[in-house]
Amino acid sequence: MKALIYKGPGEKAVEDRPIPDIRNPGDAIVRISKTTICGTDLHILKGDVPTCSPGRILGHEGTGVVEKVGPGVATFRAGDHVLISCISACGRCEYCRRGMYSHCTSGGWILGNEIDGTQTEYVRIPHADTSLYRIPEGIDEEALVMLSDILPTGFECGVLNGKVAPGSTIAIVGAGPIGLAALLTAQFYTPAEIIMIDLDDNRLEAARRFGATKTINATGNKATEAVMKLTGGRGVDTAIEAVGVPASFLTCEDIIAPGGTIANVGVHGVKVDLHLERLWSQNITITTRLVDTVSTPMLLKTVEAHKIDPTKLITHRFKLDKILDAYDTFSRAAETRALKVIIEA
């Protein structure tokens, strides 16, 4: 089978790999229908994720058809159409029983990180009973690819951790796919203002279409001044960091109001300064989280009921044999206007 391989920082290639087989009783082998590229994959290629070793098949999102299952799988059978969760969860360990699937002692974020992932034709899914979701008949599979990771990540790590509430003022720093997913799901809670901050006018235009009430181009480090002017000098109740670079987190520190919450979503590869010399007295909360995907069943129902349309995030489509072109398009988003790319196996 063809697969996209991480070769080391800055290097990737398409190679032939053997089709995976069942290793453990709870495994399923899924034939990939559709997958995508995540910003986290770009962080891996930058060398920001040391748990991912050279030689790994990348990718942790997708939909597909179950090819075979291990003897311990009770919920799925060959031929089932499934959504693949980016988080593998045993459902039995201490962390899983607390709903912290991302810290599962035999799972967590391992797909495309510690084990081979989904940017290929077939993938082995551990703990299949609790790491796959059956796709309802008639639902758009492209929409569901957004439920593998970015929608639950934006919602759980940004909206829920950020304590978004009716009538509140929130700022999302970063109008990439994760920031836009936070924007879409923040509207469940009817905040009064949703301010989107980015360097890219094309993405800010998309944010306005998706429901942002105000947009700010952060070029020239003017975002803080603009947010303070919009909020009468008070700042925002929730600041969601959706980039993963020091400048975006520092912006969140600068714009948070007393009593507010900074919700970090971005994958950080280098240290960030925490300015406690001015924040120690401000009653703020700072949250970090790796998505647990506990919200996936709820989000699946909202998509099925047409209450939210994740396909708005999709801008480009490629076949698997053109995945290097897909990476090039996704990594040059400012030029190509890419948000999410769909790759069909």
Side-chain angles (χ1 to χ4, degrees), residues 1 4 25 40 42-43 53 93 115 129 202 210 235 252 268 286 293 332:
M1 66 179 187
L4 190 284
T40 306
L42 300 186
H43 278 283
S53 303
C93 72
I115 68 172
D129 277 336
N202 292 323
F210 293 0
C252 291
H268 291 270
I286 299 174
T293 66
R332 295 188 302 109

Side-chain angles (χ1 to χ4, degrees), residues 247-263:
S248 56
F249 191 86
L250 291 172
T251 296
C252 291
E253 293 184 54
D254 291 339
I255 64 176
I256 196 67
T261 299
I262 298 173

Side-chain angles (χ1 to χ4, degrees), residues 174-198:
I178 290 291
L180 293 173
L183 167 62
L184 288 173
T185 55
Q187 293 170 70
F188 291 159
Y189 295 93
T190 60
E193 294 279 4
I194 305 177
I195 304 166
M196 186 66 80
I197 301 169
D198 202 275

Side-chain angles (χ1 to χ4, degrees), residues 16 18 131 133 150 211 235 245 285 300 308 316 330:
D16 286 312
S131 304
Y133 297 88
I150 66 165
V245 298
T285 299
L300 185 56
I308 190 170
H316 295 74
F330 187 65

Side-chain angles (χ1 to χ4, degrees), residues 62 103 175-176 181 260:
H103 291 274

